[in-house]
Amino acid sequence: MADLNKLSLAEARDALRKGDVTSVELTGACLGAIEGAGALNAFVHHTGDLAMDQARAADARIKAGDAPGMCGLPIGIKDLFCTKGVPSQAGSRILQGFLPEYESTVSQNLFDAGAVMLGKLNMDEFAMGSSNETSVYGNAVNPWRRAGDDAPLTPGGSSGGSAAAVAADLCLAATGTDTGGSIRQPAAFTGTVGIKPTYGRCSRWGVVAFASSLDQAGPMTKTVRDAAIMLGAMAGYDAKDSTSAELAVPDFEAALTGDIRGKKIGIPREYRMDGMPEEIEALWQNGIAMMRDAGAEIVDITLPHTKYALPAYYVIAPAEASSNLARYDGVRYGHRAKLDQGDGITEMYEKTRAEGFGPEVQRRVMIGTYVLSAGFYDAYYNRARKVRTLIKKDFEDVFAAGIDCILTPATPSAAFGLGEMTDADPVAMYLNDVFTVTVNLAGLPGIALPTGTNAQGLPLGLQLIGRPWEEADLLSTAYALEKAAGFVAKPEKWW
């Protein structure tokens, strides 16, 4: 079989079970593709030898008839997941040289399911960014290009390396994390599928924390079926994570009927933003028509507190980041600044953090510390938490009224050029999260999938938002939309 790295998880799994291909061959094909894709800067820590060992072990399991769901399938792991004995830097200089002595629960679950780790993937520093331009490893680059234009584009953030690697067929799938859209926005920018599960569905243990009440791990894949397969392997209760839900994990793949006849799909009027590009509006209308043609009932709904979501998110997330990042002080692990004679512990903290954290992380830590400080705690942080409760109630009211799923755009534009959104106006970059942050604030599951392209040939995605814990239903609805859209475009190879 040629182009083994271009297979989907489902195709590769079936080929492995039939004996048409081995995991060693699959893994070799991916490692070869990674070697030839340095220009994308997607993989930042390579684990080729480990991958081949895991592939040989997987082949033995398959031969013995003991093959779990992901057995022998080569994937990439976002650098936010701690992987035992493998550098885990969260895209930051401050964690340089950190080799965890433990495995994150999500990556352990994947290894238990037989998955093969090709390496660690690029990301925005501490998952703070929407363009993968804040990474200590340098920018990850989108494999897509505008028609007739060689300007490098962002793969989105923070899971930019994961999105670029999946879109360029460097791996069959990848892990991502989503705090305000960091799985769904990169998926939309790269023509891939990304699902953020319900908060608590996947363990956060061993995932470097950004904002603990918002962070959630999820899969980034080539198809909706692949997302169902991989989410089933990643999810599950974990006693080591106090926010993990003690719920059985359904067979997400078996739930992919694609039958949405009679389903009520909500269209929120608040998502029609001023100045939204015509191509995004057209994509949305096209998606609505596809859902209607598949037998769904389209219902106009209102989510009145949507306009407050972005400001509330950019108070809550930095506040939690400020608290979480206080542990990086140069004392126990990671980078420590060189000290001058006479420097004490305070100078060591200051110099280490100034050298170790990049400008975006410093900005968010400062914002977070400010909104948590005496005199401002009630004015900002507590008010934002109250707004969050109202946003959550908006969704609860809509679902209580019988809505099964909500359809919205995933991003306000197609992928933009690297360097196009400068540091001069960070708010312009934050607006990329306008359609995605509500889902994190409410703890809901959301999925982005490609449904069209813009005038320059770049992929555009739509987002489906589901009821809590009903990822199976959400994936089935996404499967129906995927079939109707028939998106098969791939980036032309230039790297």
Side-chain angles (χ1 to χ4, degrees):
M1 293 173 78
D3 292 335
L4 293 177
N5 54 305
K6 294 186 177 173
L7 295 174
S8 68
L9 286 178
E11 290 165 345
R13 177 194 61 187
D14 296 346
L16 284 165
R17 302 276 166 92
K18 283 184 200 155
D20 294 344
V21 68
T22 66
S23 178
V24 166
E25 290 167 338
L26 262 178
T27 303
C30 289
L31 290 172
I34 292 165
E35 211 170 289
L40 298 178
N41 197 27
F43 277 88
V44 290
H45 296 296
H46 299 266
T47 56
D49 292 345
L50 172 66
M52 281 313 219
D53 288 345
Q54 289 176 330
R56 282 187 281 271
D59 282 333
R61 287 182 82 173
I62 292 165
K63 210 170 186 181
D66 166 35
M70 296 272 296
C71 200
L73 301 175
I75 61 168
I77 303 286
K78 185 177 179 178
D79 192 40
L80 205 65
F81 294 82
C82 288
T83 41
K84 188 174 182 179
V86 176
S88 304
Q89 276 186 246
S92 180
R93 189 181 176 201
I94 207 157
L95 277 172
Q96 206 164 5
F98 175 54
L99 297 175
E101 287 299 315
Y102 52 89
E103 195 69 47
S104 79
T105 299
V106 163
S107 52
Q108 188 62 59
N109 286 350
L110 287 165
F111 297 153
D112 290 347
V116 172
M117 179 171 79
L118 297 163
K120 303 293 286 290
L121 291 157
N122 204 348
M123 57 174 283
D124 278 299
E125 185 181 5
F126 282 104
M128 298 181 195
S130 303
S131 63
N132 217 131
E133 292 177 281
T134 70
S135 169
V136 71
Y137 312 115
N139 304 338
V141 181
N142 196 327
W144 291 82
R145 291 260 162 107
R146 297 182 186 117
D149 185 354
D150 287 343
L153 304 178
T154 174
S158 65
S159 308
S162 301
V166 174
D169 295 314
L170 308 186
C171 55
L172 304 195
T175 63
T177 61
D178 193 309
T179 304
S182 287
I183 285 174
R184 290 159 291 148
Q185 184 247 26
F189 277 3
T190 55
T192 55
V193 175
I195 180 168
K196 180 205 95 72
T198 312
Y199 182 79
R201 176 66 88 182
C202 291
S203 171
R204 292 183 301 107
W205 194 84
V207 182
V208 177
F210 163 16
S212 302
S213 75
L214 302 163
D215 300 342
Q216 193 60 194
M220 303 188 72
T221 60
K222 298 177 187 181
T223 67
V224 172
R225 181 175 293 280
D226 285 4
I229 293 167
M230 190 165 170
L231 180 60
M234 292 171 68
Y237 172 66
D238 179 16
K240 295 195 291 286
D241 174 6
S242 64
T243 61
S244 173
E246 201 164 350
L247 289 172
V249 179
D251 186 338
F252 296 123
E253 190 183 7
L256 298 179
T257 63
D259 182 1
I260 58 168
R261 286 172 299 182
K263 293 258 186 219
K264 288 189 175 179
I265 308 294
I267 309 298
R269 65 176 69 120
E270 289 78 12
Y271 281 59
R272 287 197 164 81
M273 304 287 181
D274 289 341
M276 188 160 81
E278 281 176 27
E279 60 195 18
I280 300 292
E281 177 64 42
L283 182 85
W284 196 9
Q285 290 305 324
N286 201 19
I288 291 168
M290 286 189 269
M291 301 297 259
R292 193 180 279 122
D293 291 346
E297 182 187 339
I298 304 300
V299 183
D300 283 328
I301 60 169
T302 180
L303 298 166
H305 295 94
T306 296
K307 63 184 173 186
Y308 305 116
L310 215 54
Y313 172 84
Y314 277 104
V315 169
I316 291 167
E320 294 185 13
S322 154
S323 175
N324 276 323
L325 269 57
R327 72 192 67 170
Y328 304 108
D329 52 17
V331 176
R332 288 152 295 191
Y333 49 82
H335 175 74
R336 180 186 292 187
K338 285 193 167 62
L339 302 181
D340 297 325
Q341 202 171 358
D343 280 349
I345 194 160
T346 304
E347 287 79 14
M348 188 198 73
Y349 287 164
E350 288 172 352
K351 288 181 179 178
T352 296
R353 290 163 71 83
E355 287 177 12
F357 291 146
E360 182 59 32
V361 173
Q362 291 183 22
R363 178 185 291 128
R364 297 204 198 188
V365 167
M366 295 286 279
I367 292 168
T369 307
Y370 177 78
V371 301
L372 290 176
S373 61
F376 297 105
Y377 190 92
D378 283 334
Y380 291 107
Y381 185 64
N382 266 347
R383 189 174 291 181
R385 284 171 61 206
K386 287 172 185 169
V387 170
R388 179 184 193 167
T389 304
L390 295 171
I391 289 167
K392 191 166 183 283
K393 188 170 185 307
D394 285 349
F395 284 104
E396 286 167 357
D397 291 348
V398 162
F399 290 134
I403 295 297
D404 295 293
C405 220
I406 297 167
L407 179 69
T408 77
T411 57
S413 70
F416 50 88
L418 289 164
E420 276 180 18
M421 290 205 189
T422 63
D423 275 349
D425 183 13
V427 176
M429 184 71 84
Y430 297 166
L431 289 171
N432 268 287
D433 303 330
V434 68
F435 298 127
T436 51
V437 294
T438 51
V439 178
N440 299 78
L441 289 167
L444 298 172
I447 186 168
L449 63 154
T451 57
T453 53
N454 72 355
Q456 296 162 311
L458 297 179
L460 297 170
L462 288 176
Q463 172 180 239
L464 285 161
I465 303 166
R467 296 165 176 265
W469 312 115
E470 293 189 14
E471 291 90 355
D473 194 51
L474 177 66
L475 283 157
S476 186
T477 307
Y479 186 58
L481 181 57
E482 180 183 57
K483 280 199 298 188
F487 184 91
V488 290
K490 294 290 285 184
E492 279 184 33
K493 194 169 189 300
W494 55 265
W495 57 93

